[in-house]
Amino acid sequence: MKILHTADWHLGQNFYDRDRLAEQRLFLDFLLAQIAERHIDLLIIAGDIFDTANPPRAAEQVYYDFLTRLYALKHCEAVIVGGNHDSAPHLDAPRTILSNLNIHVVGRIPDAPEDAILRFERNGKRLCIAAIPFLRDRDVRRAIEGESFDAMEARTKAGIVETYRTLATLSTVAAPANEVCIATGHLTAVGGRLSDSERSIHIGNLGSISADQFPHEFDYVALGHLHQPQAVGDSEHIRYSGSPIPLSFSESTDKQMRLLTIADDHSLTQSTITIPLARRLLRFKGSADTVQLAIQELSVSDDELDPWIEVTLTEGDISPLINDQIRSAAAAKSAVVLKVGRQLKDVQLGNLPSESSKAISEWKPFAVFEKRIEGYDGDLAADALKQYFNHVLNAVQEDDAR
Ligand SMILES: [Mn+2]
């Protein structure tokens, strides 16, 4: 039995006012070809199918087109769980009709946790999946009036760990001991490498789970949320597949899916499928001359989409003239400059950060708040304020997601 683990598609992502659907369609073509060629039996998508709670209609169409083509292959089922960017009700709305097509959707953790246990059988080999989506505060913790944020965070984290414990126990009840068990998840694990494009779920490391807190009953944990592919600590079997396309200029181009194979003796092995990069996201930093020269030396190939470029000038003005020169140097290479920013000298601007050339739209809300309360000297501890802000921010984002 062969299983593919992917996550964080972020269909419909708006990137400097451009959409990523061309790249995302190419990825989905590649994915379908891999599923057909390798005779994959099950596809796991570990959350963040969509970038926003209300994705553009074109993104929804890409999603349903993909599911239709997947179903047409006739040999691959799917398990799709919700992420923090997804609206759980939005994902769950078509779940009944999709289940008839062997596409199993768990947008929100079911009220009866045993409903998150899924069983599969192929050629005499069996597999048990604990399909656990992103767990929101209210999924795992009941509000207690007057409770401090530290206590709330601690209880949220305990609630997440307890949910995994419960699902592990239910898995062992549902499946015989020698059956492979896989859990899914969409969360921050301790020690994970972040990029610029993950929306923080909990500030700091609160609410994040360490490798030893995942029940040992699970032979593999298919995670989403972090966009760089990685194992959690030394636990090779607890993994983020990473996103299939780079979602920010900060991300490496190492994009992959995990291929899991269950052998006749019920053992599970894993390997990597490298995802071809359809479009490069390039960063150039330096003087206008250095940047122009670097762009002129770009090698371009016909079989990729136009590279997108972010430029940070470390000296001189960004006059319209320089801006135009850089843009036309890029255009000569069929590349598109999405942003020209300038790194300002700290002395000129007191304590403003060197990245102050960023437009407000490029800042994450939490980073704006952190800037705002720099040097704050009130009655509440700054950390408590940040926690309150994060709590309100999450509530607003979840309201959006409803
Ligand atoms: Mn994500």
Side-chain angles (χ1 to χ4, degrees):
M1 191 188 282
K2 288 181 186 169
I3 304 134
L4 258 187
H5 162 207
T6 172
D8 294 279
W9 292 3
H10 288 264
L11 297 177
Q13 189 200 26
N14 179 322
F15 192 73
Y16 295 87
D17 288 331
R18 303 202 174 225
D19 78 48
R20 314 294 303 273
L21 288 174
E23 294 148 273
Q24 287 163 335
R25 279 196 195 95
L26 286 171
F27 159 64
L28 295 176
D29 289 346
F30 172 78
L31 174 56
L32 282 163
Q34 290 293 314
I35 290 171
E37 278 166 32
R38 296 173 189 263
H39 293 279
I40 303 295
D41 300 294
L42 179 71
L43 173 69
I44 297 174
I45 315 171
D48 286 358
I49 320 305
F50 293 104
D51 190 59
T52 59
N54 285 309
R57 294 298 166 259
E60 294 205 74
Q61 196 175 346
V62 166
Y63 175 62
Y64 286 108
D65 282 351
F66 170 78
L67 295 182
T68 306
R69 292 163 71 197
L70 181 72
Y71 177 70
L73 292 176
K74 295 289 181 200
H75 61 78
C76 187
E77 300 194 35
V79 172
I80 300 171
V81 299
N84 61 315
H85 281 248
D86 295 306
S87 150
H90 173 249
L91 271 193
D92 276 333
R95 74 188 299 251
T96 313
I97 188 166
L98 290 179
S99 72
N100 284 297
L101 309 178
N102 296 323
I103 295 161
H104 313 278
V105 179
V106 182
R108 178 181 173 271
I109 189 84
D111 291 332
E114 54 271 26
D115 291 346
I117 302 285
L118 305 170
R119 306 282 305 284
F120 298 90
E121 187 182 355
R122 198 60 63 92
N123 304 325
K125 289 184 200 96
R126 290 171 160 276
L127 168 68
C128 176
I129 301 228
I132 307 174
F134 170 58
L135 298 167
R136 293 186 157 76
D137 269 5
R138 61 171 177 272
D139 294 328
V140 293
R141 178 182 60 79
R142 215 179 283 158
I144 296 178
E145 207 177 324
E147 190 175 30
S148 76
F149 268 95
D150 284 346
M152 276 168 51
E153 292 281 4
R155 280 205 304 129
T156 296
K157 182 173 166 176
I160 294 171
V161 172
E162 194 186 305
T163 303
Y164 275 85
R165 184 69 257 148
T166 304
L167 269 292
T169 305
L170 288 169
S171 300
T172 55
V173 171
N178 64 351
E179 187 170 318
V180 170
C181 262
I182 294 177
T184 66
H186 193 93
L187 46 76
T188 317
V190 173
R193 274 180 298 125
L194 281 111
S195 53
D196 283 349
S197 55
E198 296 101 354
R199 185 192 287 164
S200 73
I201 301 176
H202 304 278
I203 61 163
N205 257 338
L206 299 166
S208 59
I209 307 301
S210 58
D212 58 8
Q213 288 175 307
F214 290 100
H216 62 85
E217 284 89 339
F218 296 123
D219 300 288
Y220 184 85
V221 183
L223 293 176
H225 185 55
L226 300 186
H227 296 161
Q228 319 258 35
Q230 55 195 292
V232 174
D234 296 331
S235 303
E236 286 294 319
H237 71 293
I238 306 176
R239 280 207 169 256
Y240 290 94
S241 62
S243 61
I245 63 168
L247 294 162
S248 69
F249 281 109
S250 73
E251 275 169 55
S252 79
T253 54
D254 172 21
K255 293 299 173 192
Q256 54 174 259
M257 300 181 280
R258 301 304 292 177
L259 173 62
L260 311 170
T261 307
I262 302 175
D264 286 335
D265 63 356
H266 302 282
S267 64
L268 185 81
T269 50
Q270 36 164 323
S271 57
T272 302
I273 296 178
T274 302
I275 301 169
L277 189 68
R279 187 197 306 282
R280 283 177 290 167
L281 300 186
L282 302 168
R283 266 180 161 168
F284 295 104
K285 189 172 174 181
S287 68
D289 288 347
T290 320
V291 167
Q292 275 189 69
L293 200 64
I295 291 176
Q296 280 159 9
E297 283 169 0
L298 253 186
S299 66
V300 284
S301 79
D302 288 341
D303 53 351
E304 71 167 339
L305 301 171
D306 298 348
W308 285 348
I309 294 176
E310 179 197 70
V311 170
T312 307
L313 297 176
T314 52
E315 51 195 73
D317 292 325
I318 314 177
S319 67
L321 197 66
I322 288 167
N323 212 325
D324 286 349
Q325 280 168 1
I326 289 173
R327 282 173 200 276
S328 53
K333 291 286 180 177
S334 300
V336 182
V337 177
L338 296 191
K339 187 201 161 196
V340 180
R342 182 183 162 199
Q343 192 172 50
L344 297 174
K345 292 214 172 64
D346 292 351
V347 274
Q348 294 172 299
L349 286 154
N351 61 2
L352 276 175
S354 55
E355 46 186 354
S356 57
S357 60
K358 273 185 176 178
I360 189 79
S361 59
E362 295 168 51
W363 286 80
K364 291 189 178 183
F366 189 75
V368 174
F369 185 74
E370 274 190 310
K371 275 287 133 211
R372 177 64 189 81
I373 63 165
E374 248 177 33
Y376 161 84
D377 187 24
D379 292 340
L380 279 167
D383 276 351
L385 267 183
K386 289 181 195 176
Q387 289 186 14
Y388 280 116
F389 178 83
N390 203 52
H391 187 75
V392 171
L393 179 64
N394 277 329
V396 169
Q397 286 169 340
E398 282 174 30
D399 260 355
D400 268 359
R402 245 174 258 163

